Coordinates of all heavy atoms in Angstrom, one line a residue:
V56 N -187.3 -187.8 67.3 CA -188.1 -189.0 67.6 C -189.4 -188.5 67.0 O -190.2 -187.7 67.6 CB -188.1 -189.3 69.0 CG1 -189.0 -190.5 69.3 CG2 -186.8 -189.5 69.5
L57 N -189.9 -189.1 66.0 CA -191.1 -188.7 65.4 C -192.2 -189.9 65.3 O -191.8 -191.0 65.1 CB -191.0 -188.3 63.9 CG -189.8 -187.3 63.7 CD1 -189.5 -187.1 62.1 CD2 -190.1 -186.0 64.2
G58 N -193.4 -189.5 65.7 CA -194.5 -190.5 65.6 C -195.7 -189.9 65.2 O -195.9 -188.8 65.1
A59 N -196.7 -190.7 65.1 CA -198.1 -190.2 64.6 C -198.8 -189.4 65.5 O -199.5 -188.4 65.3 CB -198.9 -191.4 64.3
A60 N -198.4 -189.6 66.9 CA -199.1 -188.8 68.1 C -198.2 -187.7 68.5 O -198.7 -186.9 69.3 CB -199.4 -189.8 69.1
G61 N -197.0 -187.4 67.9 CA -196.2 -186.4 68.4 C -194.8 -186.5 67.9 O -194.4 -187.3 67.2
F62 N -193.9 -185.6 68.5 CA -192.5 -185.6 68.2 C -191.7 -185.1 69.3 O -192.2 -184.3 70.3 CB -192.2 -184.7 67.0 CG -192.5 -183.3 67.1 CD1 -191.6 -182.4 67.5 CD2 -193.8 -182.8 67.0 CE1 -191.9 -180.9 67.8 CE2 -194.2 -181.4 67.2 CZ -193.3 -180.5 67.6
L63 N -190.4 -185.5 69.3 CA -189.5 -184.9 70.4 C -188.1 -184.8 69.7 O -187.7 -185.7 69.0 CB -189.3 -185.9 71.5 CG -188.3 -185.5 72.6 CD1 -188.8 -184.4 73.5 CD2 -188.1 -186.8 73.5
I64 N -187.6 -183.5 69.7 CA -186.4 -183.2 69.0 C -185.4 -182.5 69.9 O -185.4 -181.3 70.0 CB -186.7 -182.4 67.7 CG1 -187.7 -183.1 66.8 CG2 -185.5 -182.2 66.9 CD1 -188.1 -182.1 65.6
P65 N -184.5 -183.3 70.4 CA -183.3 -182.7 71.2 C -182.2 -182.2 70.1 O -182.0 -183.0 69.1 CB -182.8 -183.7 72.0 CG -183.2 -185.0 71.4 CD -184.5 -184.8 70.6
K66 N -181.6 -181.1 70.4 CA -180.6 -180.5 69.3 C -179.6 -179.7 70.1 O -179.8 -179.1 71.1 CB -181.3 -179.5 68.4 CG -180.4 -179.0 67.3 CD -180.9 -177.9 66.6 CE -182.2 -178.2 65.8 NZ -182.7 -177.0 65.0
L67 N -178.3 -180.0 69.7 CA -177.1 -179.4 70.1 C -176.6 -178.5 69.0 O -176.5 -179.0 67.9 CB -176.1 -180.4 70.6 CG -176.3 -181.2 71.9 CD1 -175.2 -182.2 72.2 CD2 -176.3 -180.2 73.2
Q68 N -176.2 -177.3 69.3 CA -175.6 -176.4 68.4 C -174.3 -175.8 68.9 O -174.2 -175.6 70.1 CB -176.6 -175.3 68.0 CG -177.8 -175.6 67.3 CD -178.7 -174.5 67.0 OE1 -178.7 -173.6 67.7 NE2 -179.4 -174.6 65.9
L69 N -173.4 -175.6 67.9 CA -172.2 -174.9 68.4 C -172.0 -173.7 67.4 O -171.7 -173.9 66.2 CB -170.9 -175.7 68.4 CG -169.6 -175.2 68.9 CD1 -169.8 -174.8 70.4 CD2 -168.5 -176.0 68.7
H70 N -172.1 -172.5 67.9 CA -171.9 -171.2 67.1 C -170.4 -170.7 67.2 O -170.1 -170.5 68.5 CB -172.9 -170.1 67.5 CG -174.3 -170.5 67.5 ND1 -175.2 -170.2 66.6 CD2 -175.0 -171.3 68.4 CE1 -176.3 -170.6 66.8 NE2 -176.3 -171.3 67.9
A71 N -169.7 -170.5 66.2 CA -168.4 -169.9 66.4 C -168.2 -168.8 65.4 O -168.6 -168.9 64.3 CB -167.4 -171.0 66.1
V72 N -167.6 -167.7 65.8 CA -167.4 -166.6 64.9 C -166.0 -166.0 65.4 O -165.6 -165.9 66.5 CB -168.5 -165.6 65.0 CG1 -168.6 -164.9 66.4 CG2 -168.4 -164.5 64.0
A73 N -165.2 -165.6 64.3 CA -164.0 -164.8 64.5 C -163.8 -163.6 63.5 O -164.3 -163.7 62.4 CB -162.8 -165.9 64.3
Y74 N -163.3 -162.6 64.0 CA -163.1 -161.5 63.2 C -161.6 -161.1 63.2 O -160.9 -161.1 64.1 CB -163.8 -160.3 63.9 CG -165.3 -160.4 64.0 CD1 -165.9 -161.1 65.1 CD2 -166.2 -160.0 63.1 CE1 -167.2 -161.3 65.2 CE2 -167.6 -160.1 63.1 CZ -168.0 -160.8 64.2 OH -169.3 -160.9 64.3
Q75 N -161.2 -160.5 62.0 CA -159.9 -160.0 61.8 C -160.2 -158.5 61.4 O -160.8 -158.3 60.2 CB -159.0 -160.8 60.8 CG -157.7 -160.0 60.5 CD -156.8 -160.1 61.7 OE1 -156.6 -161.2 62.3 NE2 -156.2 -159.1 62.0
L76 N -160.0 -157.5 62.2 CA -160.3 -156.1 61.9 C -159.2 -155.4 61.2 O -158.0 -155.6 61.6 CB -161.0 -155.6 63.2 CG -162.1 -156.2 63.7 CD1 -161.8 -156.8 65.2 CD2 -163.4 -155.4 63.7
D77 N -159.4 -154.2 60.7 CA -158.4 -153.3 60.1 C -158.1 -152.2 61.1 O -157.3 -151.3 60.7 CB -158.8 -152.8 58.7 CG -159.9 -151.9 58.7 OD1 -160.7 -151.6 59.8 OD2 -160.3 -151.4 57.6
A78 N -158.7 -152.2 62.3 CA -158.3 -151.2 63.2 C -158.4 -151.8 64.7 O -159.1 -152.7 64.9 CB -159.2 -149.9 63.1
D79 N -157.7 -151.2 65.6 CA -157.8 -151.7 66.9 C -159.2 -151.5 67.7 O -159.9 -150.5 67.3 CB -156.8 -151.0 67.9 CG -155.4 -151.4 67.6 OD1 -155.1 -152.4 66.9 OD2 -154.4 -150.6 67.9
L80 N -159.5 -152.5 68.4 CA -160.7 -152.4 69.2 C -160.4 -151.7 70.6 O -159.2 -151.3 70.7 CB -161.2 -153.8 69.6 CG -161.7 -154.7 68.4 CD1 -161.8 -156.2 68.8 CD2 -163.0 -154.2 67.9
S81 N -161.4 -151.6 71.4 CA -161.1 -150.8 72.6 C -160.2 -151.4 73.5 O -159.5 -150.8 74.3 CB -162.4 -150.6 73.3 OG -163.0 -151.8 73.6
N82 N -159.9 -152.8 73.3 CA -158.9 -153.5 74.3 C -157.6 -153.5 73.6 O -156.6 -154.2 74.0 CB -159.4 -154.9 74.5 CG -159.4 -155.8 73.4 OD1 -159.3 -155.4 72.2 ND2 -159.7 -157.0 73.6
G83 N -157.4 -152.9 72.5 CA -156.1 -152.7 71.7 C -155.8 -153.9 70.9 O -154.6 -153.9 70.2
T84 N -156.6 -154.8 70.6 CA -156.4 -156.0 69.6 C -157.1 -155.7 68.3 O -158.1 -154.8 68.3 CB -156.8 -157.3 70.2 OG1 -158.3 -157.3 70.4 CG2 -156.1 -157.6 71.6
R85 N -156.8 -156.5 67.4 CA -157.5 -156.5 66.1 C -158.2 -157.6 65.8 O -158.6 -157.9 64.6 CB -156.4 -156.1 65.0 CG -156.0 -154.7 65.1 CD -155.1 -154.4 63.9 NE -154.8 -152.9 63.9 CZ -154.5 -152.1 62.8 NH1 -154.6 -152.7 61.7 NH2 -154.3 -150.9 62.9
T86 N -158.4 -158.6 66.7 CA -159.1 -159.8 66.6 C -160.0 -160.0 67.8 O -159.8 -159.6 68.9 CB -158.2 -161.0 66.5 OG1 -157.5 -161.1 67.8 CG2 -157.2 -160.9 65.3
T87 N -161.1 -160.6 67.5 CA -162.1 -161.1 68.5 C -162.8 -162.4 68.0 O -162.9 -162.5 66.8 CB -163.0 -160.0 68.9 OG1 -163.8 -160.4 70.0 CG2 -164.0 -159.5 67.7
D88 N -163.2 -163.1 69.0 CA -163.9 -164.4 68.5 C -164.8 -164.8 69.7 O -164.8 -164.3 70.8 CB -162.9 -165.5 68.2 CG -162.0 -165.9 69.3 OD1 -162.5 -166.0 70.5 OD2 -160.9 -166.0 69.1
S89 N -165.7 -165.7 69.3 CA -166.6 -166.3 70.5 C -167.1 -167.6 70.0 O -167.2 -167.9 68.8 CB -167.8 -165.4 70.9 OG -168.7 -165.4 69.7
V90 N -167.2 -168.5 70.9 CA -167.8 -169.9 70.7 C -168.9 -170.0 71.8 O -168.7 -169.9 72.9 CB -166.7 -171.0 71.0 CG1 -167.4 -172.3 70.7 CG2 -165.7 -170.8 70.0
V91 N -170.2 -170.4 71.2 CA -171.4 -170.4 72.0 C -172.1 -171.6 71.7 O -172.6 -171.9 70.7 CB -172.2 -169.2 71.8 CG1 -173.4 -169.1 72.8 CG2 -171.5 -167.9 71.9
P92 N -172.2 -172.5 72.9 CA -173.1 -173.7 72.6 C -174.6 -173.4 72.9 O -174.9 -172.4 73.7 CB -172.6 -174.7 73.7 CG -172.1 -173.8 74.8 CD -171.5 -172.6 74.1
T93 N -175.4 -174.2 72.3 CA -176.9 -174.2 72.6 C -177.5 -175.4 72.6 O -177.1 -176.3 71.7 CB -177.5 -173.2 71.4 OG1 -177.1 -171.9 71.4 CG2 -179.1 -173.2 71.5
F94 N -178.4 -175.6 73.5 CA -179.2 -177.0 73.6 C -180.6 -176.4 73.5 O -181.1 -175.5 74.1 CB -179.0 -177.7 74.9 CG -179.9 -178.7 75.2 CD1 -179.8 -179.9 74.5 CD2 -181.0 -178.6 76.0 CE1 -180.8 -181.0 74.7 CE2 -182.1 -179.5 76.1 CZ -181.9 -180.7 75.5
S95 N -181.4 -177.2 72.7 CA -182.8 -177.1 72.5 C -183.5 -178.3 72.6 O -183.1 -179.4 72.2 CB -183.2 -176.2 71.4 OG -182.9 -177.0 70.1
L96 N -184.8 -178.3 73.0 CA -185.7 -179.4 73.0 C -187.0 -179.0 72.5 O -187.7 -178.2 73.2 CB -185.8 -180.0 74.5 CG -186.6 -181.3 74.6 CD1 -185.9 -182.4 73.8 CD2 -186.7 -181.6 76.1
D97 N -187.4 -179.5 71.4 CA -188.7 -179.2 70.8 C -189.7 -180.4 70.9 O -189.2 -181.5 70.6 CB -188.5 -178.9 69.3 CG -189.7 -178.0 68.6 OD1 -190.7 -177.8 69.4 OD2 -189.7 -177.8 67.5
S98 N -190.8 -180.3 71.4 CA -191.8 -181.3 71.6 C -193.2 -180.9 71.3 O -193.6 -179.8 71.4 CB -191.6 -181.9 73.0 OG -192.0 -180.9 73.9
G99 N -193.9 -181.9 70.8 CA -195.4 -181.6 70.5 C -196.2 -182.8 70.4 O -195.6 -184.0 70.2
L100 N -197.5 -182.7 70.7 CA -198.4 -183.8 70.6 C -199.5 -183.5 69.6 O -199.8 -182.3 69.4 CB -199.0 -184.0 71.9 CG -198.1 -184.5 73.2 CD1 -198.9 -184.6 74.4 CD2 -197.7 -185.9 72.8
V101 N -200.1 -184.4 69.0 CA -201.2 -184.3 68.0 C -202.4 -185.1 68.4 O -202.4 -186.3 68.5 CB -200.8 -184.7 66.7 CG1 -202.0 -184.5 65.6 CG2 -199.6 -183.9 66.1
F102 N -203.5 -184.4 68.8 CA -204.8 -185.0 69.2 C -205.8 -184.8 68.0 O -205.9 -183.6 67.6 CB -205.3 -184.4 70.5 CG -204.4 -184.6 71.6 CD1 -203.6 -183.5 72.1 CD2 -204.2 -185.9 72.3 CE1 -202.7 -183.8 73.2 CE2 -203.4 -186.1 73.3 CZ -202.7 -185.0 73.8
E103 N -206.4 -185.9 67.5 CA -207.4 -185.7 66.5 C -208.7 -186.4 66.9 O -208.7 -187.3 67.7 CB -207.0 -186.4 65.2 CG -205.7 -185.8 64.6 CD -205.2 -186.6 63.3 OE1 -205.9 -187.6 63.0 OE2 -204.4 -186.1 62.7
R104 N -209.8 -185.8 66.4 CA -211.0 -186.4 66.6 C -211.9 -186.0 65.4 O -211.8 -184.9 64.8 CB -211.7 -186.1 68.0 CG -212.2 -184.6 68.0 CD -212.9 -184.3 69.3 NE -213.5 -183.0 69.3 CZ -214.2 -182.6 70.1 NH1 -214.5 -183.3 71.2 NH2 -214.8 -181.3 70.1
D105 N -212.9 -186.9 65.2 CA -213.9 -186.6 64.0 C -214.8 -185.6 64.5 O -215.2 -185.5 65.7 CB -214.6 -187.8 63.7 CG -213.7 -188.9 63.1 OD1 -212.8 -188.5 62.4 OD2 -214.1 -190.1 63.2
A106 N -215.1 -184.6 63.6 CA -216.0 -183.6 64.0 C -217.0 -183.3 62.7 O -216.7 -183.7 61.6 CB -215.4 -182.2 64.2
H107 N -218.2 -182.8 63.0 CA -219.2 -182.5 62.0 C -219.6 -181.1 62.1 O -220.1 -180.7 63.1 CB -220.4 -183.5 62.0 CG -220.0 -184.9 61.8 ND1 -219.8 -185.4 60.6 CD2 -219.7 -186.0 62.7 CE1 -219.4 -186.6 60.6 NE2 -219.4 -187.0 61.9
I108 N -219.5 -180.3 61.1 CA -219.9 -178.9 61.1 C -220.7 -178.6 60.0 O -220.3 -178.8 58.8 CB -218.6 -177.9 61.2 CG1 -217.9 -178.2 62.4 CG2 -219.0 -176.4 61.1 CD1 -216.6 -177.4 62.5
F109 N -221.9 -178.3 60.2 CA -222.9 -177.9 59.1 C -223.0 -179.2 58.1 O -223.1 -179.0 56.9 CB -222.5 -176.7 58.3 CG -222.5 -175.5 59.3 CD1 -221.3 -174.9 59.4 CD2 -223.7 -175.0 59.8 CE1 -221.2 -173.8 60.2 CE2 -223.5 -173.9 60.6 CZ -222.3 -173.2 60.8
G110 N -223.0 -180.4 58.7 CA -223.1 -181.6 57.8 C -221.9 -182.1 57.1 O -222.0 -183.0 56.3
T111 N -220.9 -181.3 57.4 CA -219.5 -181.7 56.7 C -218.7 -182.5 57.7 O -218.5 -182.0 58.7 CB -218.9 -180.5 56.2 OG1 -219.6 -179.7 55.2 CG2 -217.5 -180.8 55.5
A112 N -218.2 -183.6 57.3 CA -217.2 -184.3 58.1 C -215.9 -183.7 58.0 O -215.3 -183.5 57.0 CB -217.2 -185.9 57.7
L113 N -215.3 -183.5 59.3 CA -213.9 -182.9 59.4 C -213.1 -183.6 60.5 O -213.7 -184.4 61.2 CB -214.1 -181.4 59.8 CG -214.9 -180.5 58.9 CD1 -215.0 -179.2 59.5 CD2 -214.1 -180.4 57.7

Side-chain angles (χ1 to χ4, degrees):
V56 179
L57 309 173
F62 64 93
L63 180 70
I64 306 173
K66 183 190 296 184
L67 290 172
Q68 297 180 325
L69 188 65
H70 307 260
V72 64
Y74 298 87
Q75 178 69 46
L76 300 119
D77 68 356
D79 289 345
L80 294 168
S81 61
N82 67 353
T84 66
R85 289 190 177 205
T86 62
T87 184
D88 58 47
S89 70
V90 176
V91 183
T93 297
F94 169 76
S95 65
L96 183 63
D97 197 0
S98 61
L100 295 171
V101 178
F102 299 103
E103 295 181 351
R104 72 176 186 175
D105 294 328
H107 297 280
I108 298 177
F109 303 114
T111 303
L113 301 171

